[in-house]
Amino acid sequence: MCELYWRLYEQDIPVLTGPSPLARVLGCPAPCDCDVVVYVGDRERVGRNDCVWASSDPTFIHRPIWIGGYPHVAPEDLKNIISPEVSSTVECIMKKLRGEVHAP
């Protein structure tokens, strides 16, 4: 599992695993092997990390989906990720879930 997730979890920072695992399953680009999503207000507590995405909605933590036994950010909460580095991944995931592009 994602070491970054566990590090933030142990620091009592509300965190979910990011969209990269779902992106890989759907055949979308995955910017990180291990990424996480935190509330934008907690972003400073995390420090510098290229694979930490910020959500504008603090309630996203209460709607995880489970992939491989770990909590991931739910598809309906992807629209609230405000980190531009992951926008093409989120766009691809949403298109595939809407059936606009066929998943492999």
Side-chain angles (χ1 to χ4, degrees):
M1 178 56 189
C2 179
E3 188 68 32
L4 177 59
Y5 169 83
W6 289 113
R7 181 173 59 87
L8 298 179
Y9 180 85
E10 289 171 356
Q11 292 176 7
D12 291 325
I13 296 173
V15 61
L16 292 177
T17 304
S20 287
L22 181 58
R24 281 192 291 278
V25 167
L26 294 173
C28 294
C32 300
D33 289 333
C34 166
D35 63 350
V36 297
V37 179
V38 299
Y39 176 58
V40 70
D42 291 324
R43 187 67 180 88
E44 284 187 23
R45 293 176 53 200
V46 173
R48 172 117 172 91
N49 193 302
D50 294 333
C51 293
V52 177
W53 317 124
S55 174
S56 61
D57 180 0
T59 66
F60 81 95
I61 194 76
H62 301 295
R63 293 180 296 278
I65 60 169
W66 295 86
I67 300 173
Y70 295 98
H72 289 71
V73 65
E76 62 267 21
D77 290 316
L78 292 175
K79 68 183 181 300
N80 298 318
I81 294 177
I82 57 175
S83 303
E85 301 86 357
V86 76
S87 62
S88 64
T89 298
V90 168
E91 183 179 325
C92 179
I93 290 170
M94 297 313 293
K95 282 183 176 181
K96 291 206 177 187
L97 291 177
R98 287 189 304 257
E100 295 175 19
V101 179
H102 296 290

